[in-house]
Structures are given as C-alpha cells and as structure tokens.
C-alpha cells in the first residue's frame, strides 16, 4: 500500500523555536507538497518540490522554508515559529509531471505556544 | 490558475444519491478535474479524476459538461461513513510546473 508518512501527528513548540516537519513517501514520486489547513480557509499550499533540490513557492511561503535532499523526503522548516503558524500541516506527493497531489499523509497538528 | 467554487455544506439522508457541483469558469484547455474526500484528523484522499464527459469508478461518478466550466461529483446511495469534506481541484496533469490551489470544500453531512 502506498504511503506518505509524516514524522509526528502532534507537536508542541515554543515561539521563536526552529521547527522541522518531516515527510517521507515510498512511491518514488517526483513531486511533493506541503499544505497547511485552517478552519474556514481550506488547504493552502506552502511549498512544493518537483525534483530533488528543486522547490517552488506556493500561496503562503512566508515564514517557511523547505528542503529536499533526497527524492523520498521533503522537510518543512519554520525558521522562527510564531503563534500564527499553529495549524494542521499536510504533506502530499504525486508522480510524473502531474501537479495535482495524489497521496496525502495524515497530517501534523502543530501548536506554537 | 483556475479558481473553484463549491457549496459550503450539504445534508443528505442515508441511501440517497448525492451530487456536489463545482464551478470552474476559467478552466484551461489541458486542465483536469480531481475530487478528494477528507475525514476529520486525516489527510485528503483521491476519489476520482476526469477531463470531459463522464468518469465512473467503484466509489463515485464524475460528470463534466461539454463547456467544462463545472463538474458534478455523484455519490450513489450514501451511508453515514460518507460524511466528510469534499474538495474539487482543477489543474493539468502534465506539461511541467503549475501551481494549483484547493478551494474550501463542501461539508457533506449524511443523516440516518
């Protein structure tokens, strides 16, 4: 069964901390995505990557960065966490050149105190 | 970038057929339409994808009129377990980089 695995289901961090969210996919997919989901706002794209070491900004990249050193792993980094970044974070992947996400992880609920 | 509009919520009784419509007036020639289902505390799950006319799988049907400015997800004989949020997404499947954005989805409540 295909899988997108996010390293944590729940995470609590403090304001100003550097936070790493990890995502691994086992489908050899070229494309990987990071979304955040907030009530009333739906899913918003933060960043995506269409190849190793390649990245593109999504709709809300401010305050975030990403890293893709290996094809199967896509990391989201909050350089200096703020309370406004408290949210559900979802990772996804897709194969080929298609840029519609096919498989999602179950999300990381991040709380910044 | 094709913007999508869906109803915010819908209610349906168990056993009924449910149709959820998505408007995408500025869909591009090579855009596909994809629908996802999301349960609480889970990531979205791919349901169905189509380009034109009708697509059917074991879960749902997708109807796309000739002008492709809208699409309708049809769920036959819904059960309580179909209570979820349904998202419509429009974007191409090939040809390189394209940013695609989810709408806010339709919350379907199935009533016993």
């Amino acid at each position: 069964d295909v899988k997108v695995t996010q390293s944590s289901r729940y995470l609590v961090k403090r304001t100003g901390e550097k936070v790493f969210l990890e995502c691994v996919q086992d489908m050899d997919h070229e494309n990987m995505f990071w979304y955040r989901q907030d009530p009333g706002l739906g899913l918003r794209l933060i960043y995506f990557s269409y190849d190793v070491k390649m990245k593109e900004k999504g709709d809300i990249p401010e305050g975030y960065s990403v890293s893709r050193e290996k094809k199967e792993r896509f990391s989201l980094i909050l350089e200096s966490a703020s309370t406004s970044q408290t949210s559900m974070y979802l990772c996804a992947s897709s194969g080929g050149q298609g840029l519609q996400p096919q498989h999602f992880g179950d999300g990381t609920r991040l709380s910044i105190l | 970038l094709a913007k999508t509009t869906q109803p915010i919520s819908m209610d349906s009784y168990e056993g009924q057929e449910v149709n959820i419509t998505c408007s995408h007036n500025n869909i591009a020639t090579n855009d596909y339409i994809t629908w996802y289902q999301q349960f609480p505390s889970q990531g979205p799950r791919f349901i169905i994808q189509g380009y034109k006319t009708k697509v059917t799988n074991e879960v749902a049907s997708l109807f796309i009129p000739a002008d492709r400015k809208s699409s309708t997800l049809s769920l036959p004989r819904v059960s309580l377990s179909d209570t979820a949020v349904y998202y419509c997404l429009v974007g191409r499947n090939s040809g390189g980089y394209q940013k695609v954005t989810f709408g806010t989805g339709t919350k379907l409540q199935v009533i016993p």
Side-chain angles (χ1 to χ4, degrees), chain A residues 9 37 48 59 98-101, chain B residues 34 36 38 41 87 91 97-98:
Chain A
R9 287 301 306 269
Q37 185 171 31
F48 80 96
D59 298 317
L99 286 164
Q100 301 191 45
Chain B
T34 309
Y36 301 83
Q38 187 178 26
S41 301
Y87 294 94
Y97 167 77
Q98 179 199 41

Side-chain angles (χ1 to χ4, degrees), chain B residues 55-73:
Chain B
V55 180
T56 298
N57 62 22
E58 64 278 4
V59 176
S61 295
L62 178 59
F63 297 92
I64 305 167
D67 66 7
R68 305 201 325 123
K69 292 184 184 298
S70 66
S71 58
T72 299
L73 174 73

Side-chain angles (χ1 to χ4, degrees), chain A residues 9-10 35 37 40-43 45 48 50 56-59 88 90 97-107, chain B residues 32-34 36 38 41-44 46 49 87 89-104:
Chain A
R9 287 301 306 269
Y10 301 93
Y35 291 87
Q37 185 171 31
L41 296 176
L43 285 93
L45 181 65
F48 80 96
Y50 52 91
E56 293 286 350
K57 292 180 180 179
D59 298 317
M88 170 70 86
L90 289 156
Q97 292 180 303
L99 286 164
Q100 301 191 45
Q102 293 171 305
H103 299 281
F104 281 83
D106 281 334
Chain B
Y32 281 72
I33 300 148
T34 309
Y36 301 83
Q38 187 178 26
S41 301
Q42 293 184 24
F46 172 94
Q49 184 180 76
Y87 294 94
L89 188 66
V90 173
R92 61 174 178 250
N93 264 359
S94 63
Y97 167 77
Q98 179 199 41
K99 191 167 69 173
V100 294
T101 303
F102 280 82
T104 52

Side-chain angles (χ1 to χ4, degrees), chain B residues 20-96:
Chain B
I20 306 174
T21 298
C22 179
S23 297
H24 27 80
N25 290 320
N26 60 340
I27 188 169
T29 302
N30 51 0
D31 281 345
Y32 281 72
I33 300 148
T34 309
W35 285 82
Y36 301 83
Q37 174 191 55
Q38 187 178 26
F39 298 113
S41 301
Q42 293 184 24
R45 181 177 71 100
F46 172 94
I47 301 175
I48 197 167
Q49 184 180 76
Y51 182 79
K52 62 180 179 181
T53 61
K54 179 183 174 183
V55 180
T56 298
N57 62 22
E58 64 278 4
V59 176
S61 295
L62 178 59
F63 297 92
I64 305 167
D67 66 7
R68 305 201 325 123
K69 292 184 184 298
S70 66
S71 58
T72 299
L73 174 73
S74 180
L75 304 172
R77 299 181 58 79
V78 294
S79 65
L80 296 176
S81 63
D82 292 316
T83 293
V85 178
Y86 293 82
Y87 294 94
C88 157
L89 188 66
V90 173
R92 61 174 178 250
N93 264 359
S94 63

Side-chain angles (χ1 to χ4, degrees), chain A residues 2-107:
Chain A
V2 297
K3 229 169 160 47
V4 175
T5 304
Q6 294 184 230
S7 53
S8 306
R9 287 301 306 269
Y10 301 93
L11 206 53
V12 180
K13 296 290 182 180
R14 297 213 173 270
T15 303
E17 279 193 71
K18 190 168 185 176
V19 180
F20 292 86
L21 301 184
E22 305 288 347
C23 175
V24 176
Q25 51 96 1
D26 65 0
M27 295 157 284
D28 201 35
H29 279 170
E30 289 80 3
N31 309 304
M32 296 187 75
F33 310 77
W34 274 108
Y35 291 87
R36 66 176 281 178
Q37 185 171 31
D38 301 287
L41 296 176
L43 285 93
R44 293 181 291 168
L45 181 65
I46 305 171
Y47 267 98
F48 80 96
S49 169
Y50 52 91
D51 201 352
V52 174
K53 298 191 187 294
M54 305 304 289
K55 61 185 179 185
E56 293 286 350
K57 292 180 180 179
D59 298 317
I60 50 163
E62 297 77 20
Y64 303 94
S65 63
V66 290
S67 172
R68 191 156 180 213
E69 297 296 319
K70 293 185 178 181
K71 192 175 186 180
E72 67 271 18
R73 186 180 297 271
F74 193 34
S75 303
L76 180 70
I77 303 153
L78 286 67
E79 296 290 343
S80 177
S82 69
T83 54
S84 64
Q85 293 176 309
T86 291
S87 186
M88 170 70 86
Y89 290 87
L90 289 156
C91 176
S93 71
S94 69
Q97 292 180 303
L99 286 164
Q100 301 191 45
Q102 293 171 305
H103 299 281
F104 281 83
D106 281 334

